[in-house]
Amino acid sequence: MSSHPVHGLPFLPGNTYRDPTKSVFHRSQTLTYRNGYSRPVLPTVGIGGDPITVNQLSQAELDELSNKRPTLTYGQVKQAPPSSFIPVYVAFDKKVLRFEAYFKEAVPISQDEHYRVRRVSVYYYLEDDTISVVEPPVENSGIPQGTFIKRQRHPKNDNGDHYHWKDLNVGVNITLYGRTFRIVSCDKYTQDFLESEGIELNLPEEIPSDPYTELRREPNRTYKTPPNFDKLKQFLTMDRKVLRFFSLWDDSGSMFGETRPVIIHYYLVDDTVEVREVHERNDGRDPFPVLMKRQRLPKSVKDLRDTFPKCVLEISDQEVTEWYSPRDFMVGHHVTILGRMFFLYDCDAYTRDFYQENLGIQDMTPADVKKPEEEEVKQEIPPYNGYGLLEDSLQNCLTLVPKPPKKDVIKMLENDHKVLRYAAALDSMNPEDKGRRFILSYYLSDDTVSIFEPQVRNSGIIGGRFLERSRVPKPGSSIDSPVYYGPADFTIGAVVEVFRHRFIITDADQYVLNYMKAHKHQFPCNVLKSLEKHFLPQEGDRELGETDVQEMNNGSAGGYDPVM
């Protein structure tokens, strides 16, 4: 049954009527599903079971009415600021509880101890409730120490519960992987944290002493030196103390023998001797430093019978009456070691001080064993035979395999393509040579000279290359140490003799004057003045111009290689 309110009538008893057209009278459901959960249906029906649609308030208005209070009486409501959320890994980051603990480890097979007391530090990390156990290293313990149990969560019981900081306290036992640790104390931060959380700490305890550690702390036994010489004292006092002597082994009496420098070491710890050979540069010997290994040297031996097997049996203390001692090694004297004669000519400072303090020997003056310097034999170079250049022929006398002579590479790079050109006339008695003109080129990169003759038509003389690039020696210079022509030798009017041909310098290129002005410190003053005087503007003077250069370039057919 359902009732519908009459339009315009108030919803009051007696103002309803029955709907005669209604034919469905089943009971509606009381459960519904929302967000996957079953919940009862709220009674939202009005008169006759129909939902109320008039004057219905929203949920926000209902919440506002429930929280509303009189503003005139109590004032305006102030909303509290929302509290900021801090995750646990931020709140407890780098906050660790530290406890000092120990455990006992059984030692089943030992005569000195039956158990060990090992001290550890237990760290509890608040950010993720993990525990790590670290054993501090103990000097000379013989046990690999450090991280005993790595950082992880440890089970507390068989139910799967893990240890929490509420389970830790001073004076309690915790079992981690079958080992029981006894917590004896904690640091100040751990104490303050546990007390702030309402946990009352027990009194700290002392770590029991380790029996073996207490045994090692006992004073060492005292020994009384026996009346004879104590070898143990010699080892303790003379360890790493070595006497060093510089000596010469004179083996010149044998075939192909010579005098070799050696170093003799006398070890005071056990009275042994070692001989080491000193190698010099390019001595032609194999690099074996030890000439005689370290051993004790017998000085005098008993009269052994012929039946004593020396080849298979070493000489012992029973056969030796006296061994070598430091008194047998004196600077300036000879000493025989295994049939070899050594002359001691010097020693180091420690050896000299040892002899002065312990043996009272003051005279340790080194002997002079330097060989007189051999006179240097001057190499005689045979005279020049005239074939090839002098520098190339000289290499055959200096080395077995001739090498090309060294060149000044820096000079070649700096003066590359730098050429000084001069005009020259041939000074000859033949009347045919009176009108011949030549161009003399001086190459600054390698100090070579080349001479070129321009072609003249109907002259009857074939022009072209007169002299290829070569170094020209001055007249009067010796073959062994020749003096070659340089840029300072070419002046206006100078006579240059080139392999028995005389040339007179008549003109020069403008580049020659510019180069000499830029390098005044390399040329004499008279050379520069002669060129400046020659290049004064006068009528009838002619410089080495484009026509001559063109003739030089055209003369390549005659074998000339022009360099610009």
Side-chain angles (χ1 to χ4, degrees):
M1 297 186 61
S2 62
S3 300
H4 297 278
V6 180
H7 181 69
L9 296 178
F11 187 67
L12 295 175
N15 292 335
T16 62
Y17 69 97
R18 186 181 302 273
D19 188 4
T21 62
K22 185 176 182 180
S23 60
V24 180
F25 300 96
H26 67 275
R27 184 178 295 276
S28 61
Q29 63 179 5
T30 60
L31 294 178
T32 184
Y33 287 88
R34 178 171 294 180
N35 296 331
Y37 297 94
S38 60
R39 54 180 297 181
V41 179
L42 298 178
T44 59
V45 297
I47 301 173
D50 296 331
I52 301 175
T53 59
V54 181
N55 297 331
Q56 190 174 9
L57 300 177
S58 63
Q59 186 65 31
E61 294 175 346
L62 293 175
D63 294 340
E64 184 180 358
L65 291 175
S66 62
N67 297 329
K68 190 175 182 181
R69 65 176 183 175
T71 57
L72 296 177
T73 306
Y74 300 102
Q76 189 69 25
V77 179
K78 296 182 179 180
Q79 296 291 338
S83 59
S84 59
F85 174 73
I86 302 177
V88 64
Y89 59 84
V90 176
F92 294 108
D93 183 28
K94 298 181 181 179
K95 294 184 179 180
V96 185
L97 305 182
R98 177 182 177 183
F99 299 90
E100 298 294 334
Y102 72 92
F103 70 96
K104 292 184 178 180
E105 182 181 23
V107 183
I109 303 175
S110 179
Q111 298 180 356
D112 299 331
E113 55 181 346
H114 301 286
Y115 67 91
R116 298 192 187 104
V117 178
R118 301 176 64 175
R119 182 175 180 176
V120 296
S121 298
V122 181
Y123 296 94
Y124 184 92
Y125 300 87
L126 295 173
E127 57 178 338
D128 53 358
D129 298 329
T130 55
I131 298 176
S132 66
V133 180
V134 178
E135 184 178 8
V138 179
E139 186 177 3
N140 297 330
S141 64
I143 302 174
Q145 297 169 331
T147 302
F148 193 78
I149 300 177
K150 67 180 182 179
R151 179 178 173 180
Q152 57 185 298
R153 298 184 69 186
H154 294 275
K156 180 173 59 175
N157 48 33
D158 298 338
N159 298 331
D161 299 334
H162 295 84
Y163 274 104
H164 195 261
W165 54 267
K166 296 180 181 179
D167 303 324
L168 303 180
N169 200 338
V170 178
V172 298
N173 296 334
I174 59 174
T175 303
L176 306 178
Y177 291 106
R179 291 186 183 271
T180 302
F181 298 88
R182 179 72 176 181
I183 300 178
V184 295
S185 62
C186 63
D187 58 0
K188 181 63 176 175
Y189 174 77
T190 305
Q191 180 181 358
D192 297 341
F193 177 79
L194 295 178
E195 289 179 354
S196 64
E197 297 296 334
I199 298 177
E200 184 178 356
L201 294 177
N202 300 327
L203 295 177
E205 300 178 359
E206 295 290 338
I207 298 179
S209 59
D210 186 19
Y212 184 72
T213 304
E214 296 297 331
L215 179 63
R216 291 179 58 181
R217 290 179 181 176
E218 295 180 1
N220 298 329
R221 297 180 182 180
T222 57
Y223 297 91
K224 186 177 181 180
T225 305
N228 55 352
F229 187 75
D230 190 2
K231 292 186 178 181
L232 179 59
K233 180 181 179 181
Q234 180 185 5
F235 174 77
L236 297 177
T237 57
M238 298 297 180
D239 188 22
R240 296 187 180 184
K241 294 182 179 180
V242 184
L243 305 180
R244 184 169 63 169
F245 299 92
F246 304 97
S247 61
L248 293 177
W249 173 29
D250 190 2
D251 191 29
S252 58
S254 61
M255 182 180 296
F256 307 111
E258 59 181 352
T259 302
R260 305 183 190 177
V262 296
I263 296 178
I264 300 177
H265 290 158
Y266 187 94
Y267 295 87
L268 297 173
V269 64
D270 53 358
D271 297 325
T272 55
V273 181
E274 177 190 52
V275 180
R276 288 181 170 268
E277 187 174 358
V278 179
H279 289 275
E280 298 178 356
R281 188 175 182 180
N282 298 329
D283 57 357
R285 299 187 177 277
D286 295 332
F288 294 108
V290 179
L291 183 65
M292 186 194 72
K293 69 177 183 179
R294 180 177 173 181
Q295 57 183 309
R296 294 190 69 186
L297 296 178
K299 185 177 181 180
S300 60
V301 185
K302 296 180 181 178
D303 187 10
L304 301 177
R305 298 179 182 178
D306 298 337
T307 58
F308 185 81
K310 295 181 180 181
C311 60
V312 296
L313 188 63
E314 296 180 354
I315 298 176
S316 61
D317 296 343
Q318 287 74 16
E319 291 80 18
V320 179
T321 58
E322 185 180 1
W323 300 89
Y324 271 100
S325 63
R327 292 185 178 275
D328 300 320
F329 295 88
M330 301 295 296
V331 175
H333 295 76
H334 290 80
V335 59
T336 303
I337 300 177
L338 299 182
R340 295 177 176 86
M341 187 70 69
F342 295 90
F343 175 68
L344 309 180
Y345 65 88
D346 197 3
C347 63
D348 58 359
Y350 174 77
T351 305
R352 190 176 292 105
D353 296 340
F354 177 83
Y355 275 81
Q356 293 178 359
E357 295 176 2
N358 297 275
L359 303 180
I361 299 176
Q362 303 292 336
D363 188 11
M364 299 290 288
T365 305
D368 187 11
V369 294
K370 292 183 179 180
K371 297 181 180 180
E373 296 183 359
E374 299 180 358
E375 296 182 0
E376 184 178 357
V377 179
K378 187 177 181 180
Q379 184 179 6
E380 295 183 0
I381 299 176
Y384 178 57
N385 55 9
Y387 292 97
L389 298 178
L390 178 63
E391 293 81 359
D392 294 335
S393 300
L394 183 61
Q395 298 300 320
N396 297 321
C397 305
L398 299 179
T399 57
L400 183 61
V401 179
K403 298 181 181 180
K406 295 183 179 180
K407 298 181 180 180
D408 193 350
V409 181
I410 298 178
K411 182 179 180 180
M412 295 176 63
L413 294 176
E414 291 179 351
N415 299 320
D416 189 22
H417 294 251
K418 294 183 179 180
V419 183
L420 305 180
R421 293 187 176 92
Y422 303 89
L426 184 62
D427 185 10
S428 175
M429 301 300 294
N430 296 328
E432 294 84 0
D433 297 334
K434 293 297 182 179
R436 299 178 64 179
R437 293 180 62 253
F438 297 87
I439 298 177
L440 189 146
S441 301
Y442 185 88
Y443 298 87
L444 296 172
S445 59
D446 53 357
D447 298 330
T448 57
V449 177
S450 68
I451 300 176
F452 178 82
E453 182 179 6
Q455 293 183 1
V456 180
R457 299 181 64 179
N458 300 326
S459 63
I461 298 174
I462 300 175
R465 179 186 299 177
F466 185 83
L467 176 68
E468 63 180 4
R469 290 181 60 175
S470 59
R471 302 181 69 181
V472 180
K474 292 183 180 181
S477 61
S478 62
I479 299 178
D480 298 335
S481 58
V483 180
Y484 298 98
Y485 277 106
D489 300 325
F490 300 96
T491 59
I492 304 300
V495 179
V496 179
E497 183 175 348
V498 180
F499 301 115
R500 298 181 181 179
H501 291 80
R502 295 169 57 85
F503 293 89
I504 300 175
I505 304 299
T506 60
D507 198 358
D509 195 358
Q510 183 67 31
Y511 177 77
V512 178
L513 179 61
N514 297 336
Y515 180 82
M516 290 187 177
K517 288 182 178 180
H519 303 80
K520 294 181 178 180
H521 60 283
Q522 299 180 5
F523 300 95
C525 296
N526 57 348
V527 177
L528 183 58
K529 289 181 180 180
S530 66
L531 285 175
E532 290 178 349
K533 182 179 180 181
H534 175 73
F535 280 98
L536 289 176
Q538 295 179 1
E539 295 182 357
D541 291 345
R542 187 180 64 87
E543 298 179 357
L544 186 62
E546 298 180 356
T547 305
D548 298 333
V549 176
Q550 185 177 3
E551 291 179 355
M552 291 171 58
N553 296 337
N554 296 333
S556 58
Y560 178 75
D561 187 10
V563 178
M564 300 302 295

